[in-house]
Amino acid sequence: EVQLLESGGGLVQPGGSLRLSCAASGFTFSSYAMSWVRQAPGKGLEWVSTISDSGGNTYYADSVKGRFSISRDNSKNTLYLQMNSLRVEDTAVYYCAKGGGRPDYWGQGTLVTVSS
Amino acid sequence: DIVMTQTPLSSPVTLGQPASISCRSSQSLVHSDGNTYLSWLQQRPGQPPRLLIYKISNRFSGVPDRFSGSGAGTDFTLKISRVEAEDVGVYYCMQSTQFPHTFGQGTKLEIK
């Protein structure tokens, strides 16, 4: 059974940093691209970032480019999202999803709140 | 960026009746590899999104056959043949043909 478990969310002040993690199990992690998607309170889905299976290629939404960094550790079956220079508008539930072109499994999400 | 536009944004439906959601993209979603990376996702209240349909018309594992997808190029449709109570939620189309990947605004399906 595929499982994705996000962690690392919380309350942070504007300008602060957080690192999200997504622990994967139930599939060959190193064979799949992985993505982060977020959802602001009461709003729709917004794609944030995707990383290739090897980690050699990364892609970002313009809204986070230069501030967020996606990475993975295939030996630990874990996906990361390093978030720096956080803004109030980054407040959202962050989901990790298996796949890039076909996001077929999603975690339960972790809430990031950016507020002073 | 490719803009995804869904209609309607809200759809009250009677149980047992069909429902249809349209999704239009601002440019063709045909990838250079010949595939069209258009997916449909369902988000039930308080739940994460769930993949229903990928590459226009392929039902994902475990998805009931009352869900079907169709379309080509820039116009796509999700159909539910007979709405059940568990289908309540928000439905999103998503394109992953080109970065940045983009979603439609979401269509809220509710029971009349």
Side-chain angles (χ1 to χ4, degrees), chain B residues 2-109:
Chain B
I2 298 176
V3 177
M4 307 296 288
T5 304
Q6 289 181 228
T7 55
L9 298 184
S10 177
S11 180
V13 182
T14 302
L15 287 173
Q17 293 300 301
S20 180
I21 301 170
S22 174
C23 176
R24 179 166 291 178
S25 57
S26 60
Q27 57 188 271
S28 174
L29 297 186
V30 179
H31 193 274
S32 56
D33 66 7
N35 289 306
T36 300
Y37 295 97
L38 184 283
S39 301
W40 289 96
L41 300 107
Q42 174 197 61
Q43 188 173 32
R44 292 170 171 152
Q47 294 296 310
R50 167 198 179 199
L51 179 67
L52 295 176
I53 303 284
Y54 63 98
K55 288 197 286 186
I56 303 177
S57 59
N58 295 274
R59 257 189 315 276
F60 185 57
S61 174
V63 174
D65 61 7
R66 64 178 182 275
F67 290 93
S68 64
S70 63
T74 61
D75 285 284
F76 307 93
T77 303
L78 174 71
K79 292 184 179 177
I80 309 173
S81 59
R82 295 173 305 280
V83 170
E84 298 189 4
E86 66 178 17
D87 299 336
V88 165
V90 181
Y91 292 78
Y92 296 92
C93 61
M94 171 193 175
Q95 70 80 19
S96 46
T97 290
Q98 177 184 119
F99 287 107
H101 295 173
T102 47
F103 292 89
Q105 318 95 299
T107 295
K108 187 172 185 178
L109 185 76

Side-chain angles (χ1 to χ4, degrees), chain A residues 20-86:
Chain A
L20 306 184
S21 299
C22 172
S25 61
F27 65 102
T28 304
F29 181 72
S30 59
S31 296
Y32 292 90
M34 296 292 294
S35 300
W36 288 99
V37 175
R38 68 184 180 183
Q39 186 170 36
K43 302 297 184 181
L45 300 172
E46 180 188 15
W47 172 81
V48 172
S49 183
T50 293
I51 187 167
S52 63
D53 52 4
S54 66
N57 293 294
T58 57
Y59 308 89
Y60 298 94
D62 284 347
S63 57
V64 307
K65 201 173 293 183
R67 301 186 299 123
F68 290 13
S69 177
I70 191 171
S71 63
R72 63 192 297 159
D73 185 334
N74 286 346
S75 69
K76 295 182 178 179
N77 290 349
T78 303
L79 175 72
Y80 302 102
L81 186 67
Q82 177 66 43
M83 305 187 295
N84 299 328
S85 304
L86 282 161

Side-chain angles (χ1 to χ4, degrees), chain A residues 3-6 22 95-98 105-109, chain B residues 47-49:
Chain A
Q3 290 195 341
L4 298 169
L5 184 61
E6 302 97 335
C22 172
Y95 296 103
C96 72
K98 170 179 167 282
Y105 289 93
W106 296 62
Q108 290 295 314
Chain B
Q47 294 296 310

